[in-house]
Each structure stands twice: as structure tokens, then as C-alpha cells.
Amino acid sequence: MFMEESGWLTRSNERTVWFYPPGLEATGMVISGFSTRIGGVSGGPYSSLNQGLHVGDVTELVLKNRGILAEAAGLPPGSQVVPAQVHGDRVHLAEWSDAGAGARDLESSISDCDALITREPGLPLVTHHADCVALLILDPLKKAVGIAHAGWKGTRLRIGEKTVRAMGEAFGTRPEDCRVAISPSIGPCCYEVDAPLIEQFTAAFPYHSELLTPRPGQKAHLDLWEANRRPLIEIGVRDQNVFTSRLCTCCSPDYFYSYRREPGGVTGRMAAFIMLRPG
Ligand SMILES: [Zn+2]
């Protein structure tokens, strides 16, 4: 079974299934995870638990799907904070005044933003993914959390490192205290990239040979999991505190949407989420 070597596990209710990182949840301090496409009401290429409002699905159905996930995972549906992801590296400090931003429409989402941090218990941070990585971050000492969306652009921009640093500035977070979970995403098995991207990663990462596996025709397979893990280790996150799911969205059509796999990229989105438990 493909989950055997994963650092994440599944939970389910009578309706849906989702993945969660035991390494974060063992603290008892957070609700965190990554949804699947199982158990929703959307049809066609969005079948069935699509969480993305920006992909051409029917809004009413997406909101129903968000409600199904929220109920299953134990998240308050109305107060979710959702960024308008742009493959950048801006980190937003979320406070209660942001509660519900992007929860029910695109217009109110946190603009130009790919990472959120907060110290507010009960305030869920949510990002949306087809093949991109989600980084879920917990500082159990300062009682703070962060979430980041990392496709190849965010990965090259070291958005995980920048999110941990932003938690440092805002909350006094130290990298050595953090626990970080790396979500399902397109894996090194499927993520073929071409020369321009290979050049960018070669320039940006001294250990690029460990991230890129050469393929015929000046192409390579890129390991987004390792490319996100290494910068975190470099700033002091402990190896044993990084929990990588190692599940490939492109390889697992029963569980996951995949932009790369679907014709024209027309597909749904999974939600990544993290919330400090209240009380
Ligand atoms: Zn794969």
C-alpha cells in the first residue's frame, strides 16, 4: 500500500477521508491536515470534494464541500482565513479581524499572499493545492502556527524558511523548536521539469544534484519535498521534526486532484489546514 512509507496517516468519518501529520497532532495543540477528493458534491473534473473557488466549479457546490471537510476535521467553517495564492513569498500575520476572509468568496481572500501565520487559537489557516506542496508549521513553545503554499516558484523562493522567519519576528519562534509537515504534492516520480527551471534550481540551491534527477532530452525530475525540507534544516529546524508525507498527488487519482495529470489542468483543489486548538 502506498501509504506505508508516509509520515502522514488518514482519518475518516462517514463522509470523507483526509490526511494528517501525526508529528504535529501528537502535541495535542493543533488540528491539521490535507483533504482528499473523496465524499463531496462536485461533478466532472471536480469530482467530488473540490475546495477551490477559482477553478471553474459551481460556487454553491464548493461551499458545500468546504462545509463537509470542516465538519469532518473539526474546523469552524465561517472563520477560515484563505489567501489568494500567487506563487509568491509574502507572509501575512492573520488576526481575528481576518476571520472568514476568503471562506465564502474569492474577493475577500487575503490578496497577494502564499503564507499565513497566527497565534490565535481557533483561527483556521487554509491553503489550496492540486500538485503544490503545503508546509504546516507548529511552534509548540510560543504556541503559534503557520501554513505556506509552495509550488516550484515558492519553493525556489524558500517560502518555508521565510514563513518560519516571519514567525520568529512576530512571535519569537526559534526554528529548532518548530515541527513542520510537508504535505502530499506531485512527487519526484512524476514532476518532470525542463531546462529553464533546471537552471533556476541549479543557481538557487548548492545541493541541486540532490533535488534534480536527470532525464533524457535536457529534462529532470524535481523533488519538491527535499527542496522544501533542506532550507528548513539549514536554518535550524531539526531533522526529526520534519514530517514528509511522500504521497504523490499525480500518482494517486483516487485520493487527489493533480494539475499535471489532468488534461488542460482542469481539476479541483485539496485544502491544507492548520488551527491551534482553543483552550
Ligand atoms: Zn508520482
Side-chain angles (χ1 to χ4, degrees):
M1 182 57 198
F2 80 112
M3 278 185 276
E4 273 177 9
E5 60 180 59
S6 176
W8 291 40
L9 297 172
T10 54
R11 281 202 179 102
S12 58
N13 68 353
E14 67 285 351
R15 184 84 203 222
T16 187
V17 179
W18 66 103
F19 287 84
Y20 74 98
L24 268 60
E25 299 249 328
T27 62
M29 297 176 65
V30 289
I31 291 174
S32 60
F34 193 81
S35 68
T36 65
R37 63 190 301 173
I38 297 166
V41 295
S42 293
Y46 311 109
S47 176
S48 62
L49 195 70
N50 170 39
Q51 302 288 305
L53 281 170
H54 63 294
V55 294
D57 196 1
V58 180
T59 297
E60 185 182 314
L61 300 180
V62 178
L63 296 181
K64 186 117 198 281
N65 290 336
R66 288 184 175 186
I68 290 168
L69 175 64
E71 187 179 337
L75 300 170
S79 55
Q80 301 189 11
V81 185
V82 183
Q85 298 164 195
V86 293
H87 296 280
D89 64 354
R90 193 175 82 80
V91 183
H92 175 77
L93 170 57
E95 298 180 311
W96 273 106
S97 55
D98 296 316
R104 301 191 60 80
D105 58 69
L106 288 174
E107 293 70 30
S108 64
S109 54
I110 307 294
S111 61
D112 182 26
C113 181
D114 287 89
L116 301 167
I117 60 173
T118 194
R119 199 160 45 179
E120 300 293 348
L123 188 64
L125 310 180
V126 179
T127 52
H128 293 117
H129 304 259
D131 284 326
C132 298
V133 173
L135 300 164
L136 306 177
I137 304 162
L138 166 64
D139 174 357
L141 295 191
K142 296 296 191 292
K143 298 186 171 63
V145 292
I147 195 167
H149 160 251
W152 72 261
K153 289 181 182 171
T155 301
R156 184 178 53 79
L157 292 165
R158 291 174 158 81
I159 192 169
E161 171 185 339
K162 286 172 179 171
T163 306
V164 171
R165 289 192 191 282
M167 291 171 70
E169 285 169 27
F171 313 130
T173 289
R174 301 183 309 171
E176 56 266 41
D177 298 328
C178 287
R179 291 170 177 244
V180 184
I182 298 176
S183 79
S185 79
I186 193 166
C189 42
C190 293
Y191 194 24
E192 185 173 272
V193 297
D194 56 15
L197 198 147
I198 293 167
E199 281 169 27
Q200 289 201 43
F201 271 72
T202 301
F205 296 98
Y207 40 85
H208 54 84
S209 64
E210 294 167 57
L211 311 179
L212 293 158
T213 306
R215 305 290 294 173
Q218 306 213 312
K219 295 186 185 288
H221 281 194
L222 173 59
D223 185 344
L224 285 176
W225 305 328
E226 184 66 4
N228 278 284
R229 192 186 72 88
R230 285 291 285 268
L232 295 168
I233 301 298
E234 284 187 325
I235 62 167
V237 178
R238 296 200 169 109
D239 198 39
Q240 66 268 30
N241 287 338
V242 180
F243 309 96
T244 305
S245 119
R246 311 196 72 77
L247 299 173
C248 173
T249 47
C250 194
C251 280
S252 310
D254 293 343
Y255 282 98
F256 300 122
Y257 303 107
S258 168
Y259 186 89
R260 178 63 72 104
R261 186 184 64 228
E262 301 304 335
V266 179
T267 191
R269 294 291 182 275
M270 285 76 70
F273 53 88
I274 190 165
M275 180 186 84
L276 285 166
R277 287 181 180 275

